Amino acid sequence: MRDTAAHLVDRVFPRVPVRQWVLSLPYALRYRLAYDAEMVSKVLGIFTKTVFAFLIRRASKFGAVQKGQCGAVTFIQRFGSALNLNLHPTHSAIDGVYAADDDGNSTKRRFGFR
């Protein structure tokens, strides 16, 4: 996973900061998600929407008000460091939001947070 994340940062994402978000879940839910792919999709959808909403809300403080867009890749890890069952999504997201220019053109401006 570390090699794939490095590949994304070095060769896929634009040259901007990338932040990693990890969703830690209660043990009972981790075990249920390990066997329920539909529930994983729903939890992942909520996780992604929440992270993107936070980034867009934060970018609005920097002047991005029109159709902010985010970018991310999510990895689903199914084990912990002790090789125990520990399902947890890891989200590599561009640390900022892309928004249309003042005329609404498709040209994007990045609103970063660092």
Side-chain angles (χ1 to χ4, degrees), residues 5-51:
H7 168 73
L8 290 171
V9 170
D10 293 342
R11 296 193 175 98
V12 177
F13 287 158
R15 297 228 178 255
V16 296
V18 175
R19 186 173 303 247
Q20 185 177 25
W21 300 76
V22 179
L23 179 61
S24 181
L25 301 163
Y27 288 109
L29 189 54
R30 292 177 195 178
Y31 297 134
R32 170 100 189 262
L33 290 173
Y35 300 101
D36 191 343
E38 185 177 334
M39 185 181 270
V40 171
S41 295
K42 289 179 183 179
V43 169
L44 187 57
I46 293 167
F47 178 46
T48 302
K49 286 178 187 177
T50 303
V51 170

Side-chain angles (χ1 to χ4, degrees), residues 1 16 26 30 35 44 47 53 70 77-78 83 92 96 98 111:
M1 188 176 94
V16 296
R30 292 177 195 178
Y35 300 101
L44 187 57
F47 178 46
C70 303
Q77 262 189 280
R78 296 188 161 274
L83 297 180
S92 294
Y98 287 87
F111 291 87

